[in-house]
Amino acid sequence: MQIRLPIDTKSLFFNIKNDNEAGHTATVSTPIRQYGGVDEDLVKVFKIDENVDVVSKEAIADKLVAKSRAEAKIVKVLVFDRISVNGEAIDAPASFCMYVREETAASNVHCGRQKLHYPMSLKYSDSEVEVNNKEVLKAVAEKLKNYAFVVEAFEYNTDTGILNFDVTIVGCNGIPYSKVFINRRGVGGKFSSVFSDEAVSYDAEIIAMRQKLGYRNVGPDNFGVVLSRNRSIAGEVTERYLLKSGCVAIKETTVEYPYSLYDLEYFREGIKHYTIIRFTSTKNLYFNLPCEKIRFCADFPDRVTVVLVSDVNGKPRINEYSVSEMNRMSKSINSVCYELTGGNYE
């Protein structure tokens, strides 16, 4: 049986650069019970065996409450020595530990609140167990080629004893926090359009767009709007295609993370795969990819495909390409970055 424990979106992430003036660090905890309510998914954590002996458990619990400023007790300690990420096993250098902490002071408004904690800084060692959460997260990052990622959920398999990190890759290593998490309301659409890597296609697309949609209906002033509508069409067509292909748990990543390196993620035979969606109003089979997405394809050649939806404003047609097929295509360079390094800047 698999027990899935979804955690708060901003509670555990890695390789994301904090570009804020203060705060905005990972909270590394998610409430289970508070204000009379219960998270029905997260409360399943109590069904998981602790997998740690009594002496080690008590020592870990004592360490966790030793510097607590509020009265609390540790009601459950979980230690996992078998780890996987997105369905693929990793060679973890230590065990990963999470625990449930309960507020106990009767005078505290939060009395009775329980949270699941999974701090990155947690380390503990004795003759029976070696816990080092940060080293485990580093191993997860290495498996993901050191891209920036957000942990969506922990998944524990009661039969195999494996703790799986269900993660979403959200960008290159060091991507700014402000690019990953949108804090202000009403900026999502603007944010997405600012960083769109499809806007360079105006010259190649405008004639076909006008032929299909009307010459007065598309121009420089609303090209972005039409492009966004075409992107939605391509996404719907691609999702239907993947469902028919037997893919499950399809998720549109760019809804939450506009600057994600891929558009859809899904599972095939228990392993997470990724799809980058491209589209064109023409019947020509071409697409543009920025350097970071090309690098992503190279890093995960067996997990990534590009789906090109051609004739998107007519009779959309699906064209799916593996990385090996893309490598055999002819290519052209759209831009080159010039940078002055060394020498005299004056």
Side-chain angles (χ1 to χ4, degrees):
M1 179 179 69
Q2 181 169 275
I3 297 174
R4 180 176 173 84
L5 307 173
I7 62 175
D8 287 348
T9 301
K10 298 180 183 180
S11 68
L12 188 57
F13 51 82
F14 209 74
N15 288 337
I16 294 175
K17 182 179 180 181
N18 187 2
D19 59 335
N20 298 284
E21 186 175 358
H24 298 87
T25 56
T27 59
V28 294
S29 67
T30 302
I32 301 173
R33 304 176 190 271
Q34 65 176 353
Y35 310 124
V38 178
D39 186 318
E40 297 296 341
D41 289 317
L42 211 54
V43 77
K44 295 175 184 175
V45 69
F46 291 104
K47 295 182 179 180
I48 301 176
D49 293 335
E50 292 186 311
N51 196 30
V52 60
D53 66 46
V54 175
V55 175
S56 295
K57 175 187 174 180
E58 290 181 354
I60 294 172
D62 289 343
K63 178 178 181 178
L64 294 173
V65 298
K67 296 181 180 180
S68 176
R69 290 176 293 181
E71 291 182 28
K73 63 180 179 180
I74 307 302
V75 297
K76 195 171 185 68
V77 175
L78 298 168
V79 175
F80 307 94
D81 56 6
R82 303 185 68 188
I83 307 294
S84 67
V85 53
N86 290 345
E88 294 187 89
I90 64 171
D91 186 14
S95 296
F96 188 84
C97 179
M98 62 179 76
Y99 61 92
V100 178
R101 183 178 186 270
E102 181 179 327
E103 306 283 347
T104 58
S107 59
N108 190 334
V109 67
H110 298 302
C111 183
R113 181 176 67 178
Q114 293 180 335
K115 279 187 174 184
L116 177 66
H117 292 257
Y118 29 90
M120 282 187 272
S121 60
L122 180 55
K123 292 174 63 177
Y124 174 82
S125 178
D126 64 23
S127 59
E128 299 297 325
V129 65
E130 180 77 27
V131 169
N132 193 323
N133 283 5
K134 192 165 187 178
E135 289 303 311
V136 173
L137 286 168
K138 285 182 179 179
V140 169
E142 288 177 9
K143 185 67 174 181
L144 299 174
K145 309 295 183 181
N146 283 310
Y147 282 94
F149 64 86
V150 173
V151 179
E152 306 285 352
F154 298 111
E155 296 173 333
Y156 181 70
N157 190 306
T158 58
D159 298 320
T160 64
I162 295 175
L163 178 71
N164 181 61
F165 285 69
D166 180 12
V167 314
T168 297
I169 296 174
V170 294
C172 297
N173 190 313
I175 185 173
Y177 182 101
S178 61
K179 234 181 188 181
V180 177
F181 302 115
I182 310 300
N183 295 317
R184 298 188 304 273
R185 293 181 179 179
V187 300
K190 294 178 183 178
F191 180 89
S192 182
S193 64
V194 166
F195 296 105
S196 172
D197 50 49
E198 294 148 352
V200 296
S201 62
Y202 182 89
D203 292 4
E205 294 292 312
I206 189 61
I207 293 177
M209 280 185 175
R210 285 181 159 180
Q211 288 175 341
K212 297 285 175 57
L213 302 175
Y215 284 85
R216 295 183 179 181
N217 295 329
V218 190
D221 57 335
N222 71 335
F223 179 75
V225 174
V226 176
L227 204 65
S228 179
R229 188 163 60 238
N230 285 352
R231 187 183 301 114
S232 296
I233 295 171
E236 292 171 3
V237 170
T238 303
E239 284 195 52
R240 289 197 296 269
Y241 166 76
L242 292 175
L243 282 171
K244 290 182 180 178
S245 301
C247 303
V248 298
I250 300 172
K251 176 182 176 182
E252 189 177 355
T253 314
T254 45
V255 170
E256 293 181 69
Y257 309 108
Y259 209 53
S260 174
L261 295 166
Y262 52 91
D263 298 283
L264 299 176
E265 64 180 35
Y266 53 90
F267 282 87
R268 180 177 287 159
E269 297 180 354
I271 304 296
K272 186 174 284 190
H273 289 69
Y274 315 100
T275 286
I276 299 171
I277 301 174
R278 305 283 87 171
F279 54 90
T280 172
S281 293
T282 74
K283 295 183 180 179
N284 301 327
L285 303 183
Y286 85 99
F287 56 88
N288 295 302
L289 287 181
C291 291
E292 61 268 20
K293 291 189 179 182
I294 295 172
R295 191 180 308 118
F296 181 73
C297 290
D299 283 335
F300 298 95
D302 299 325
R303 302 283 180 262
V304 184
T305 61
V306 171
V307 168
L308 171 64
V309 182
S310 56
D311 195 16
V312 69
N313 294 126
K315 296 180 179 179
R317 177 183 173 186
I318 286 283
N319 310 270
E320 185 176 20
Y321 303 106
S322 65
V323 174
S324 61
E325 289 172 323
M326 289 161 56
N327 289 338
R328 295 194 294 270
M329 294 179 180
S330 59
K331 304 168 185 68
S332 60
I333 299 174
N334 288 328
S335 65
V336 175
C337 176
Y338 292 85
E339 180 181 4
L340 180 63
T341 57
N344 190 351
Y345 286 81
E346 297 181 358

